[in-house]
Amino acid sequence: MKSETWTIQQVFQDRKQYKVPFYQRAYVWTLGEQWKLLWDDIKDKADERLTGTTPAPHFLGAIVVEPQDKFGLRGVDTLHIIDGQQRLTTLQYVLAGIRLATRELEIEDYDSYLAAVLDNPNPSTMANADVEVFKVWPTFSDQKAFVEAMTADKLATLQTRFPAHFTQTNTFRRIGITHPPALDAIWNFAEWAMDWIKTNGGADAAEALVLAVLTDLKVVMIQLEKDDDAQVIFETLNGRGAKLDATDLIRNYLFMSVDSANEDSASLYEDKWKQFEETTWKVGERRGRIVKPRLEWLIFSAIRAQTGQEGDLARLYVDFKNYAQGKTTTQQLDMLSTYAKHYLQLIEGKGALPIARFGRRLQPFDTTTTHPLALRISIADLPDSEKTAIFNDIVSYVVRRAVCGLTTKNYNNWFMSMLRQWIKGPMTRVALKDLLASSPNSPAARWPDDDEFSHALQSAPIYYGNLDPGRCRMLLTELEGWLRLTKRTEEPTIPDLSNLDIDHILPRSWYEHWALPDGSKATLVEAQVAEQQELMGGTLSSHHLAIRQRAKAIPSLGNLTLLNLSVNREAQNKSFQIKKNLLIANTVLSINGDLMTQNTWDEKAITARSKVLSEAAKKLYPR
């Protein structure tokens, strides 16, 4: 590679264009973070010139470019920007702003000097004059606003072309609006230039300002040669320093791998990649302690789904390159596009595909380890009815294990193992169901049978206990839906119950209003003593035994329901008769129907209701 120190005038003189490749991110510099600081540096140099001082050079760092081969006579020399697009683009905005400022102030002496570093001459000799007239050509998402702003011949033209960004009195909007970066930068630089020139004497100040930019600002221009690998240099400059997301490097790889003889880069971008530039793919998604843009999780999950191979998010770019070997850019983008639709419905829990309902049902369980398997099921050549049945089996597996208090620590390896085996064929519901049930004796992998599931539903601490609030609410909501279906009520659809509270019918603080089965009362101190005696293996009195039996009944399924927040607060720890009256007045849920027929509520009633609900749950989550 060759490196030289150049002034900004040298950077932009002659007929050449610095082109931002497809893989580069969009322009991101802003007024608060970079523009004002750069303008202050320019003003300092211009101030020195007005005082007759020869300014010392101000270095803006290194620019790395890769000259492109030129075929034939037509066209300008093209250089791909490997590193430095933000600086080169901003310098064009500075020069464009100064040109508009001098025109506004009717100072025309420097227009030709500015044109030499802003516009490539002789469009008739260009292959594509609409593009090649510009010294810098941005990436796709910035091009439209860039052209409209850079070709404006005066400030009034900007106001005409971007009317929504100005007030009725033609002042630049500053609050409640996001401007295209090209407009925002050029307008601000033009305003700053006008103010500075007017303050410092007019034409002489304009010359000092132009010279400050063109001769006092310098860069180290590094030009790659034929044997230099632009991709490796890009990764070295940007990847190892973690300045770019893995998806930026992947985009780079995709478009630098385009087979230009058989694929059109612009079409591939517009038709297949542009969707991933939308905001929905930039949303941060959390998995455990890791937060990454949604697009990274899509690519991570899609590679896993397609290959069945384990992966490391920290090596996503390497994993993608390994996957891409032997595939065209079109094939790689087709794979991502195929999975994207299914992934969004999985994550958002909305849509017509079976995977949307699956995602919605399992959202409280945070089982993102199922995503690669779920995605592969969703794109499989199977009828929707079979996909739905497969997803129901996976939900049953996850819910049954959660209710039984079994570990999730092995889920990543377990679901990836099932995916690898399933895609070897046959890819059917029967095959996957057999895989789910293939480890009946393993605590880390077994799919609890009806006996184990029913015992946990009736005896285990569900809430607080084996299920957190979100999972318990999901279980109760789905039981509500099942009861409505079986009772053939007038409301076949399940309402959104996410705003309801989980209530312990027999409250956790029961001591004041609730007697034990023998009619006696107890205190919190007695409950604590009974618990301690049981933990130490001591013999409990009948009174203490009754207290412990109640403590175990309270978090069980039969004692749980859903109530409106205000009703729950009013009921609190009050007697069952008060709670019952509130239920009669305020609930329409099927899950609460049997409660309103009860005259008393105690351990016996809880056991009976647990049995009824466990029978429903076994059918709702069949094995």
Side-chain angles (χ1 to χ4, degrees):
M1 61 181 73
K2 297 185 298 183
S3 64
E4 298 176 277
T5 299
W6 281 7
T7 64
I8 301 308
Q9 186 169 20
Q10 289 174 301
V11 170
F12 291 125
Q13 70 186 6
D14 302 327
R15 272 172 42 112
K16 57 189 169 190
Q17 182 181 81
Y18 298 96
K19 191 171 185 179
V20 182
F22 298 105
Y23 54 80
Q24 295 272 4
R25 70 174 73 187
Y27 182 81
V28 296
W29 278 19
T30 62
L31 185 152
E33 294 293 327
Q34 291 91 11
W35 300 339
K36 193 65 172 66
L37 294 174
L38 176 60
W39 181 251
D40 288 342
D41 292 334
I42 293 169
K43 283 195 306 177
D44 288 344
K45 299 303 171 185
D47 285 336
E48 290 180 44
R49 286 189 168 276
L50 284 180
T51 61
T53 305
T54 302
H58 181 81
F59 280 90
L60 298 177
I63 305 289
V64 183
V65 296
E66 181 186 34
Q68 302 298 295
D69 292 333
K70 180 181 175 183
F71 302 97
L73 295 174
R74 303 181 72 82
V76 300
D77 292 333
T78 303
L79 303 96
H80 279 177
I81 306 171
I82 306 303
D83 191 57
Q85 72 129 320
Q86 306 291 332
R87 282 165 288 165
L88 289 175
T89 305
T90 303
L91 287 166
Q92 284 290 291
Y93 293 156
V94 170
L95 292 166
I98 292 174
R99 177 160 65 179
L100 291 179
T102 55
R103 287 176 178 176
E104 200 73 14
L105 298 172
E106 299 181 351
I107 302 172
E108 300 177 356
D109 297 353
Y110 309 104
D111 210 77
S112 60
Y113 294 99
L114 291 167
V117 290
L118 281 167
D119 312 314
N120 283 321
N122 304 320
S124 62
T125 64
M126 296 176 183
N128 183 357
D130 289 342
V131 171
E132 293 177 44
V133 292
F134 297 100
K135 295 290 186 178
V136 170
W137 188 240
T139 194
F140 287 114
S141 59
D142 292 329
Q143 286 171 7
K144 185 175 184 297
F146 178 88
V147 171
E148 291 180 346
M150 288 293 292
T151 56
D153 58 341
K154 53 188 175 182
L155 292 177
T157 305
L158 289 176
Q159 293 166 335
T160 302
R161 291 179 178 178
F162 300 93
H165 297 269
F166 294 85
T167 67
Q168 292 182 343
T169 57
N170 280 331
T171 58
F172 198 53
R173 292 186 183 275
R174 297 289 181 184
I175 300 173
I177 191 168
T178 300
H179 301 293
L183 168 66
D184 200 1
I186 291 172
W187 187 270
N188 277 291
F189 285 125
E191 283 194 334
W192 294 335
M194 281 194 296
D195 289 344
W196 191 87
I197 291 169
K198 287 189 291 186
T199 301
N200 289 278
D204 289 343
E207 179 177 1
L209 197 58
V210 171
L211 286 171
V213 176
L214 294 183
T215 64
D216 297 334
L217 302 184
K218 294 187 177 183
V219 297
V220 175
M221 181 62 70
I222 301 173
Q223 297 192 49
L224 305 187
E225 298 177 302
K226 286 189 177 296
D227 293 334
D228 296 325
D229 190 327
Q231 171 66 16
V232 171
I233 290 170
F234 178 83
E235 293 170 21
T236 301
L237 290 170
N238 297 291
R240 293 173 191 170
K243 296 178 183 177
L244 298 181
D245 292 327
T247 49
D248 293 308
L249 296 170
I250 289 169
R251 180 177 53 202
N252 166 23
Y253 179 81
L254 279 165
F255 287 102
M256 289 194 76
S257 303
V258 167
D259 178 1
S260 56
N262 299 301
E263 299 176 306
D264 179 67
S265 297
S267 296
L268 286 174
Y269 178 88
E270 286 292 330
D271 299 339
K272 299 181 185 296
W273 179 265
K274 190 175 181 179
Q275 61 179 314
F276 299 121
E277 302 286 353
E278 295 175 1
T279 304
T280 188
W281 292 107
K282 298 176 182 177
V283 173
E285 284 184 7
R286 177 182 296 277
R287 297 192 186 180
R289 291 175 294 178
I290 301 174
V291 178
K292 291 289 185 180
R294 178 174 288 168
L295 182 56
E296 284 200 31
W297 290 119
L298 163 67
I299 296 172
F300 178 77
S301 300
I303 296 173
R304 310 280 83 73
Q306 194 67 13
T307 66
Q309 300 302 310
E310 301 283 356
D312 180 358
L313 188 66
R315 290 172 49 84
L316 181 59
Y317 174 56
V318 174
D319 281 356
F320 186 85
K321 286 203 300 183
N322 291 336
Y323 161 77
Q325 294 304 308
K327 299 177 180 66
T328 64
T329 299
T330 300
Q331 290 171 330
Q332 297 167 55
L333 286 170
D334 281 343
M335 184 275 286
L336 292 179
S337 296
T338 296
Y339 280 110
K341 174 184 176 182
H342 298 262
Y343 184 82
L344 276 181
Q345 294 199 23
L346 169 65
I347 291 298
E348 296 176 350
K350 301 175 183 176
L353 297 175
I355 199 172
R357 181 172 179 268
F358 171 77
R360 185 167 63 251
R361 295 181 76 191
L362 281 191
Q363 274 178 350
F365 290 86
D366 193 27
T367 49
T368 55
T369 48
T370 65
H371 286 182
L373 176 60
L375 288 169
R376 192 57 187 266
I377 293 166
S378 193
I379 70 161
D381 186 19
L382 296 170
D384 281 356
S385 58
E386 184 162 4
K387 292 177 185 178
T388 298
I390 294 173
F391 286 137
N392 287 344
D393 290 335
I394 298 174
V395 171
S396 169
Y397 178 90
V398 171
V399 171
R400 283 181 173 234
R401 286 184 58 82
V403 167
C404 293
L406 297 173
T407 182
T408 62
K409 288 183 179 178
N410 194 45
Y411 275 8
N412 185 54
N413 294 332
W414 176 243
F415 284 115
M416 287 305 300
S417 174
M418 280 193 287
L419 171 60
R420 282 192 296 273
Q421 296 176 71
W422 191 65
I423 61 179
K424 291 177 182 177
M427 293 168 63
T428 64
R429 182 198 180 188
V430 171
L432 189 58
K433 199 169 184 179
D434 288 343
L435 289 169
L436 284 168
S438 62
S439 299
N441 299 316
S442 169
R446 73 170 178 269
W447 187 1
D449 60 19
D450 283 355
D451 288 343
E452 183 178 7
F453 187 44
S454 181
H455 182 266
L457 287 165
Q458 295 181 58
S459 305
I462 301 299
Y463 179 76
Y464 300 94
N466 292 346
L467 300 184
D468 64 18
R471 297 172 187 183
C472 184
R473 184 178 292 107
M474 174 267 195
L475 175 63
L476 293 172
T477 299
E478 294 211 333
L479 283 170
E480 169 68 17
W482 178 263
L483 292 172
R484 290 186 182 198
L485 180 66
T486 56
K487 290 180 180 179
R488 300 181 180 275
T489 61
E490 295 179 2
E491 275 190 274
T493 57
I494 307 172
D496 180 8
L497 306 181
S498 59
N499 63 331
L500 298 185
D501 260 13
I502 301 168
D503 178 60
H504 295 88
I505 305 163
L506 199 166
R508 297 168 70 207
S509 297
W510 52 271
Y511 314 104
E512 182 179 355
H513 299 291
W514 295 71
L516 290 167
D518 64 2
S520 64
K521 291 288 190 75
T523 66
L524 174 60
V525 172
E526 287 179 310
Q528 292 169 339
V529 169
E531 181 180 15
Q532 190 64 29
Q533 286 181 338
E534 186 178 64
L535 289 173
M536 296 175 65
T539 302
L540 299 181
S541 67
S542 59
H543 185 64
H544 283 168
L545 183 61
I547 292 173
R548 291 306 299 149
Q549 288 172 341
R550 173 156 293 184
K552 293 171 183 177
I554 287 172
S556 65
L557 179 61
N559 192 47
L560 302 175
T561 192
L562 293 170
L563 289 178
N564 182 278
L565 176 61
S566 61
V567 176
N568 193 20
R569 284 180 176 175
E570 186 176 350
Q572 287 273 324
N573 303 322
K574 294 176 182 175
S575 67
F576 178 65
Q577 191 57 51
I578 293 176
K579 281 199 169 187
K580 178 180 173 180
N581 292 337
L582 287 169
L583 282 171
I584 292 172
N586 293 283
T587 187
V588 295
L589 299 186
S590 296
I591 202 171
N592 290 334
D594 59 337
L595 298 176
M596 291 180 281
T597 66
Q598 301 288 330
N599 293 319
T600 60
W601 192 254
D602 55 17
E603 289 78 356
K604 185 177 179 180
I606 291 171
T607 299
R609 186 166 179 265
S610 289
K611 187 173 182 179
V612 171
L613 293 180
S614 71
E615 288 301 314
K618 285 192 293 185
K619 296 172 183 176
L620 178 58
Y621 307 107
R623 184 186 183 287

